[in-house]
Amino acid sequence: MNTHALFPTTICEFEYDKSSEFKENLWEVALSHIKDGYSNETNAPYLHHEGKLRDIYAFITKSIKEYLSVFNISLEDLDFHISKSYFNLVDKLPNPKHHHLDSHMSFIYYAHIPDDVEFDIKFFARDMPQPHSSFFDIFSKGWNWHNSSSWVLKSTEGCLFLFPGSVVHEVVPLNDITSPEKNTPVHTLEDLKKMRISIAGDGMFTFKHMYQATRTHGVHPISTWKTFPAPEAAQL
């Protein structure tokens, strides 16, 4: 039998070889990006503008280039724009299943993981062709690449994951936990070092140049965009 495993969901993992040095910069600036004890995409989503963290974003961009090479695509033809990024601080409450469909690419970098805070990341298939709904769940005697609708990857310090923003994912605990209402608030550096700290973010691809003569799909350079005021504002 020839088995053709077609159309994979590609998640790329990278290891940052300067993760220890990066943490020193992390401790210098992290508290200033925490509001009322917490940091997430709703209260501090522009971490990529922090100058002292520029090295990690250079690494992310380099990794994006490698990610694209898997598909024989060159970043020389594209600009990658980070639209939001933020610290995700976890010690008790994992992140529920979600997606980032408003972005082209998503990333998560694990900057600091205490020994007693263990969570991994779980990815879900966007489409699972099978003979009928729940067929694999009901009849499979064991999980493999062909019948699994989800997959857990280990979160380790210094690790970066890149994946399309449309891929559904969640944070899962390695051990049974009760159902806490929220994670522990952070107010001091000592509080911070007890948290599992990741940098999560999203980005968009645009044409590096204007390809309108030969391309009908794709996002044109931001320099070609124009913002129009709302009609009521134009009348003022």
Side-chain angles (χ1 to χ4, degrees):
M1 177 178 71
N2 291 326
T3 301
H4 302 282
L6 303 178
F7 317 124
T9 299
T10 304
I11 311 293
C12 285
E13 179 180 349
F14 301 86
E15 189 70 25
Y16 188 36
D17 60 6
K18 296 181 180 179
S19 59
S20 296
E21 298 94 318
F22 174 74
K23 275 212 288 188
E24 296 307 312
N25 290 336
L26 178 73
W27 304 137
E28 287 186 32
V29 304
L31 288 177
S32 65
H33 293 272
I34 295 171
K35 298 180 180 179
D36 299 321
Y38 298 95
S39 175
N40 52 53
E41 62 183 313
T42 61
N43 66 9
Y46 305 123
L47 189 62
H48 44 287
H49 290 282
E50 174 59 67
K52 289 189 176 181
L53 302 183
R54 60 182 178 275
D55 287 349
I56 195 62
Y57 291 99
F59 173 68
I60 290 168
T61 303
K62 176 178 176 291
S63 300
I64 288 284
K65 183 177 180 180
E66 292 186 48
Y67 177 93
L68 291 177
S69 70
V70 174
F71 310 98
N72 292 322
I73 296 172
S74 173
L75 196 57
E76 294 177 0
D77 299 325
L78 294 162
D79 284 324
F80 180 65
H81 311 269
I82 294 177
S83 53
K84 64 180 176 183
S85 65
Y86 46 92
F87 287 125
N88 191 2
L89 309 180
V90 175
D91 71 335
K92 296 178 180 177
L93 186 65
N95 292 346
K97 187 186 294 187
H98 65 287
H99 57 70
H100 300 210
L101 268 170
D102 53 342
S103 298
H104 296 159
M105 286 291 301
S106 292
F107 59 84
I108 183 165
Y109 172 72
Y110 298 101
H112 176 67
I113 303 179
D115 293 337
D116 60 343
V117 183
E118 296 183 301
F119 294 92
D120 282 338
I121 187 167
K122 186 175 186 179
F123 293 97
F124 296 85
R126 284 176 286 178
D127 181 32
M128 197 66 190
Q130 50 188 318
H132 65 65
S133 177
S134 301
F135 184 83
F136 295 150
D137 289 331
I138 296 169
F139 298 109
S140 293
K141 305 301 184 184
W143 299 113
N144 59 32
W145 294 106
H146 302 286
N147 64 16
S148 297
S149 60
S150 64
W151 206 268
V152 175
L153 296 178
K154 187 170 182 58
S155 303
T156 58
E157 195 169 288
C159 167
L160 168 72
F161 285 115
L162 296 179
F163 50 95
S166 58
V167 175
V168 176
H169 55 286
E170 69 179 351
V171 174
V172 292
L174 299 189
N175 302 305
D176 291 336
I177 59 172
T178 56
S179 299
E181 294 183 1
K182 58 184 179 180
N183 289 299
T184 303
V186 171
H187 299 291
T188 67
L189 185 58
E190 288 70 27
D191 294 339
L192 184 65
K193 291 185 176 182
K194 295 176 183 178
M195 307 296 289
R196 172 185 178 272
I197 306 171
S198 60
I199 296 175
D202 298 314
M204 308 285 287
F205 292 112
T206 64
F207 288 132
K208 188 178 291 291
H209 308 291
M210 294 176 61
Y211 284 113
Q212 70 270 28
T214 57
R215 302 288 192 273
T216 57
H217 289 78
V219 183
H220 286 269
I222 293 177
S223 61
T224 67
W225 299 10
K226 181 176 180 179
T227 300
F228 288 86
E232 59 271 18
Q235 295 172 6
L236 297 178

